């Protein structure tokens, strides 16, 4: 009899104890109500997550909110990780976070066909949790360890850079509540994560207070999946849009008819719709808005905003009114919040590349968030280049042309990197067609004035190019119902090609053995030989060289 009573008591404790305990305790925790409700347990330093539905996919994005500051190591402030489609699964007390394998799919109405593909290729379990009990029919888990793990692969990056072996020190890591918030369609979590190790390299010690202890901030975004109203953009290698992956390979669709290729690729772009697609010019249902980092000082801040806003001209050409905007970041906004497209001002100890990344839906290529990283030392480098061209000068008469040239470059750079976050690839042939695109690498166009002095006024172009307009028309045009969208886009592309505009992507500009003659980087003019002759003749004129019998008498080596 005693044994039966004991077993019954244990059963009650097993079934009701955890639920009852967490239900009572959770009422005293700080609550973050949103897409995923979260609870902060101050006494134990835990962040709890409330899971109301299992096997329901959502987007998971990790990123580096506060970086290391070294261009050589490459761990920048605001650097994005990959975007994953994940879902929670529960079995008994165990809760798994599983990443779906979207590289292999079946675009079929048959659930059996879809299941056959899903079961043929492996998924990945990102993390395992233990249920703490139920509250209002939902499962509560402690997600603290998940959020303070090495989600950005920093240990591997430091090792690859020759800086030593570093691991996460949980005793010196915690949730950063100031940047942990929840909204209706996304929950944002940030963590202070400390890595400890024995430094052996020469770079880390130049940017970290104590190179044996590296503390950064890792950010996590849990995002509701976009609805199914978005129409994926068919990838076309001639159109200037980037694909789902770096190689633009897309995914393999095993539901395609026999005889058709398995590979399917979508282009990357934001969702944009006209309020009235039947009229030539219409406002957007929801405009694309980019926000500039408040940390960028003037006059750089205004230059960043002006350059980015050039894209509105291209959207106007596509029939939109005020569909692309640029604003200053709200004071209380988090740049890692997926609700904001941002142009972030990033500092490093040495100058490095600027770049544009995106948080996108891996299923469709829809851009959820554009994120531009602009290195702050670039504008200073351009100023030094201008100074080297114009020196010497009196201290009392510092040429304003130096600052003007540096700001002109930062405007162009802002437009260029925003272009990447709108989905556009490089076009290295634009420089051969009178600066037809901001997506080329611009070489400063320096001229000589009549008095022989250097003229920097046209070093960098102003505004968007003709190729840029055609890209926006192709990818962002909103067509009325009943129109064959793919056929209409083919017509737009045919018109672009017929106009004579050229497009040479990175794959035909940088690869050894496949370089297109119009795909030179950092050049000007339609003919490289003519440009070289032009530069030579201008130098000759400047130096006052004499010619005899039609031939130039060149100075000794090193004079240039």
């Amino acid at each position: 009899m005693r044994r039966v009573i004991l077993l019954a008591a244990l059963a009650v404790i097993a079934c009701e104890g955890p639920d009852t305990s967490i239900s009572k305790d959770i009422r005293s925790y700080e609550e973050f109500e949103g897409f995923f409700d979260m609870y902060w347990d101050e006494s134990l330093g835990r962040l709890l997550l409330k899971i109301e539905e299992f096997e329901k996919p959502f987007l998971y994005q990790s990123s580096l909110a506060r970086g290391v500051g070294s261009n050589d190591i490459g761990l920048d402030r605001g650097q994005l990780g990959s975007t994953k489609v994940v879902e929670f699964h529960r079995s008994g007390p165990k809760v798994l976070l599983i990443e779906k394998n979207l590289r292999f799919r079946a675009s079929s109405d048959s659930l059996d066909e879809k299941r056959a593909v899903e079961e043929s290729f492996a998924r990945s379990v990102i993390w395992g949790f233990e249920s703490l009990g139920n509250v209002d029919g939902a499962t509560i888990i402690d997600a603290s360890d998940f959020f303070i793990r090495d989600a950005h692969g920093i240990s591997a990056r430091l090792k690859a850079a020759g800086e030593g072996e570093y691991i996460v020190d949980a005793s010196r890591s915690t949730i950063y509540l100031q940047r942990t918030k929840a909204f209706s369609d996304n929950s944002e979590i940030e963590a202070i994560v400390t890595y400890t190790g024995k430094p052996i390299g020469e770079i880390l010690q130049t940017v970290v207070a104590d190179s044996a202890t590296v503390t950064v901030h890792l950010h996590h975004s849990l995002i509701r999946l976009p609805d199914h109203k978005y129409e994926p953009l068919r990838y076309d290698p001639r159109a200037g849009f980037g694909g789902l992956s770096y190689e633009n390979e897309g995914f393999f669709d095993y539901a395609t008819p026999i005889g058709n290729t398995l590979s399917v690729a979508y282009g990357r772009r934001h969702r944009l719709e006209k309020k009235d697609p039947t009229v030539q010019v219409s406002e957007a249902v929801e405009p694309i808005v980019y926000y500039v980092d408040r940390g960028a000082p003037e006059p750089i801040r205004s230059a960043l905003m002006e350059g980015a806003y050039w894209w509105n001209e291209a959207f106007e050409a596509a029939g939109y009114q005020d569909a692309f905007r640029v604003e200053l970041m709200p004071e209380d906004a988090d740049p890692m919040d997926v609700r904001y497209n941002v142009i972030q001002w990033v500092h490093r100890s040495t100058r490095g590349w600027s770049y544009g990344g995106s948080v996108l839906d891996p299923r469709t290529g829809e851009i959820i968030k554009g994120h531009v990283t602009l290195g702050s030392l670039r504008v200073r480098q351009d100023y030094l280049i201008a100074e080297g061209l114009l020196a010497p000068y009196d201290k009392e008469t510092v040429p304003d042309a130096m600052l003007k040239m540096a700001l002109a470059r930062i405007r162009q750079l802002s437009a260029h990197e925003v272009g990447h976050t709108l989905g556009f690839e490089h076009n290295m042939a634009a420089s051969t067609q009178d600066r037809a695109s901001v997506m080329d690498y611009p070489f400063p166009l320096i001229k000589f004035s009549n008095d022989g002095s250097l003229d920097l006024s046209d070093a960098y172009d102003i505004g968007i190019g003709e190729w840029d307009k055609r890209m926006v028309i192709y990818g962002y045009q909103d067509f009325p119902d009943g129109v064959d969208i793919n056929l209409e886009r083919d017509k737009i592309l045919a018109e672009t090609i017929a106009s004579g505009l050229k497009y040479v992507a990175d794959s035909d500009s940088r690869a050894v053995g496949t370089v297109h003659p119009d795909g030179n980087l950092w050049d000007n003019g339609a003919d490289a030989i003519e440009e070289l002759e032009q530069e030579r003749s201008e130098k000759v004129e400047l130096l006052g060289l004499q010619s005899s019998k039609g031939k130039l008498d060149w100075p000794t080596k090193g004079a240039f």
Side-chain angles (χ1 to χ4, degrees):
M1 184 64 179
R2 290 181 178 177
R3 183 180 180 185
V4 173
I5 294 174
L6 178 60
L7 289 175
L10 290 174
V12 170
I13 293 173
C15 296
E16 297 183 1
D19 290 2
T20 303
S21 175
I22 196 65
S23 296
K24 290 180 179 179
D25 295 342
I26 208 167
R27 294 189 182 96
S28 64
Y29 300 160
E30 181 181 355
E31 181 178 5
F32 301 84
E33 186 176 356
F35 174 52
F36 275 94
D37 291 347
M38 301 178 292
Y39 302 89
W40 172 246
D41 178 1
E42 179 71 27
S43 61
L44 296 179
R46 302 184 300 173
L47 187 67
L48 309 184
L49 208 62
K50 183 179 182 181
I51 306 173
E52 297 182 343
E53 295 182 83
F54 290 93
E55 300 186 33
K56 183 175 181 179
F58 61 96
L59 296 179
Y60 167 63
Q61 174 72 44
S62 61
S63 52
L64 182 61
R66 294 194 184 189
V68 174
S70 166
N71 181 65
D72 301 283
I73 296 175
L75 294 168
D76 293 329
R77 171 197 182 210
Q79 190 174 81
L80 299 176
S82 59
T83 314
K84 306 175 185 293
V85 176
V86 299
E87 57 189 26
F88 283 110
H89 286 242
R90 178 171 180 172
S91 178
K94 179 72 72 174
V95 176
L96 302 179
L97 181 61
I98 302 178
E99 178 184 359
K100 298 176 72 67
N101 189 343
L102 296 179
R103 188 67 185 274
F104 307 96
R105 314 181 195 176
S107 58
S108 169
D109 294 331
S110 170
L111 295 179
D112 294 323
E113 284 190 54
K114 292 178 180 291
R115 186 182 305 110
V117 175
E118 290 176 357
E119 293 178 358
S120 296
F121 298 95
R123 301 177 293 175
S124 298
V125 175
I126 298 177
W127 203 257
F129 310 83
E130 294 288 335
S131 170
L132 299 180
N134 296 337
V135 172
D136 300 328
T139 299
I140 305 298
I141 59 172
D142 180 358
S144 306
D145 290 344
F146 173 71
F147 293 130
I148 65 172
R149 80 193 199 285
D150 185 15
H152 203 70
I154 290 177
S155 294
R157 294 281 287 275
L158 292 178
K159 182 178 180 180
E163 295 298 318
E165 300 272 358
Y166 286 80
I167 60 173
V168 173
D169 184 346
S171 69
R172 298 189 231 184
S173 305
T174 188
I175 302 298
Y176 186 61
L177 288 180
Q178 290 91 322
R179 288 290 173 87
T180 297
K181 301 178 181 180
F183 309 96
S184 59
D185 292 323
N186 60 300
S187 295
E188 306 287 339
I189 304 95
E190 191 156 308
I192 302 173
V193 182
T194 300
Y195 297 78
T196 56
K198 183 178 180 181
I200 61 174
E202 299 179 354
I203 302 173
L204 200 57
Q205 61 181 327
T206 66
V207 290
V208 180
D210 178 358
S211 54
T213 305
V214 182
T215 301
V216 296
H217 283 213
L218 299 182
H219 194 91
H220 309 262
S221 300
L222 312 180
I223 312 161
R224 189 187 305 277
L225 279 181
D227 60 38
H228 296 287
K229 296 179 181 179
Y230 173 80
E231 181 73 28
L233 175 67
R234 184 185 61 180
Y235 174 74
D236 190 312
R238 303 169 298 170
F241 278 79
L244 276 173
S245 67
Y246 179 76
E247 301 84 3
N248 296 324
E249 294 176 351
F251 60 93
F252 297 100
D253 186 355
Y254 285 84
T256 56
I258 297 175
N260 290 4
T261 178
L262 288 175
S263 180
V264 177
Y266 295 144
R268 302 189 300 264
R269 63 166 182 170
H270 289 266
R271 182 183 303 209
L272 190 66
E273 302 169 289
K274 287 183 176 180
K275 288 184 177 179
D276 186 355
T278 64
V279 299
Q280 186 174 358
V281 179
S282 170
E283 293 181 337
V285 174
E286 185 175 348
I288 300 172
V289 183
Y290 273 70
Y291 296 90
V292 172
D293 194 337
R294 302 182 73 90
E298 290 291 4
I300 295 170
R301 178 192 294 178
S302 294
L304 293 176
M305 298 182 74
E306 291 168 14
Y309 189 64
W310 289 349
W311 281 106
N312 187 57
E313 183 182 348
F315 284 94
E316 287 179 342
Y320 288 98
Q321 178 182 339
D322 198 27
F324 184 87
R325 304 176 187 173
V326 181
E327 300 176 6
L328 190 62
M329 195 79 174
E331 289 190 14
D332 59 346
D334 179 359
M336 307 315 299
D337 187 337
V338 296
R339 298 176 303 163
Y340 297 98
N341 303 302
V342 299
I343 301 171
Q344 198 165 29
W345 192 239
V346 177
H347 302 286
R348 307 182 183 103
S349 60
T350 56
R351 192 184 73 77
W353 296 107
S354 297
Y355 49 90
S358 302
V359 176
L360 55 82
D361 185 345
R363 305 171 305 165
T364 63
E366 178 184 358
I367 296 174
I368 310 299
K369 169 191 175 71
H371 195 112
V372 172
T373 295
L374 279 177
S376 67
L377 293 181
R378 168 63 68 88
V379 68
R380 297 178 183 273
Q381 182 71 24
D382 289 321
Y383 186 92
L384 290 174
I385 291 173
E387 186 174 32
L389 290 169
L390 297 181
Y393 51 84
D394 297 330
K395 291 182 179 180
E396 293 78 15
T397 58
V398 177
D400 61 358
M402 298 188 306
L403 180 59
K404 287 181 178 179
M405 175 178 149
L407 293 177
R409 174 65 176 120
I410 208 68
R411 289 187 193 95
Q412 193 280 337
L413 183 60
S414 178
H416 180 100
E417 300 305 345
V418 167
H420 282 314
T421 69
L422 291 171
F424 306 136
E425 297 280 76
H426 289 134
N427 180 3
M428 298 307 185
S431 58
T432 70
Q433 296 190 299
D434 194 25
R435 298 166 164 178
S437 174
V438 297
M439 301 312 297
D440 201 339
Y441 279 179
F443 190 81
L445 182 58
I446 310 299
K447 302 176 182 178
F448 289 102
S449 301
N450 293 333
D451 62 359
S453 63
L454 292 178
D455 180 4
L456 277 57
S457 62
D458 195 31
Y460 296 102
D461 201 9
I462 299 174
I464 222 71
E466 290 304 311
W467 169 258
D468 304 322
K469 294 177 184 178
R470 298 302 300 179
M471 281 194 299
V472 172
I473 292 172
Y474 174 85
Y476 283 93
Q477 179 66 271
D478 193 7
F479 301 97
D481 293 338
V483 172
D484 187 328
I485 294 177
N486 289 330
L487 180 60
E488 292 301 315
R489 288 208 170 100
D490 286 341
K491 291 179 181 178
I492 294 171
L493 189 53
E495 292 172 357
T496 302
I497 295 172
S499 72
L501 286 170
K502 299 177 182 179
Y503 171 53
V504 178
D506 280 332
S507 57
D508 295 312
S509 301
R510 305 171 188 264
V512 176
T514 61
V515 176
H516 191 283
D518 288 330
N520 295 313
L521 280 62
W522 307 111
D523 66 340
N524 284 308
D527 189 300
I529 295 177
E530 288 185 5
E531 284 299 310
L532 181 61
E533 290 293 335
Q534 175 69 17
E535 289 187 13
R536 185 178 70 166
S537 64
E538 288 179 343
K539 289 176 182 176
V540 168
E541 182 179 350
L542 176 65
L543 295 175
L545 299 176
Q546 302 297 320
S547 62
S548 62
K549 297 181 181 180
K551 294 183 180 181
L552 295 175
D553 296 326
W554 291 99
T556 58
K557 184 178 179 181
F560 284 169

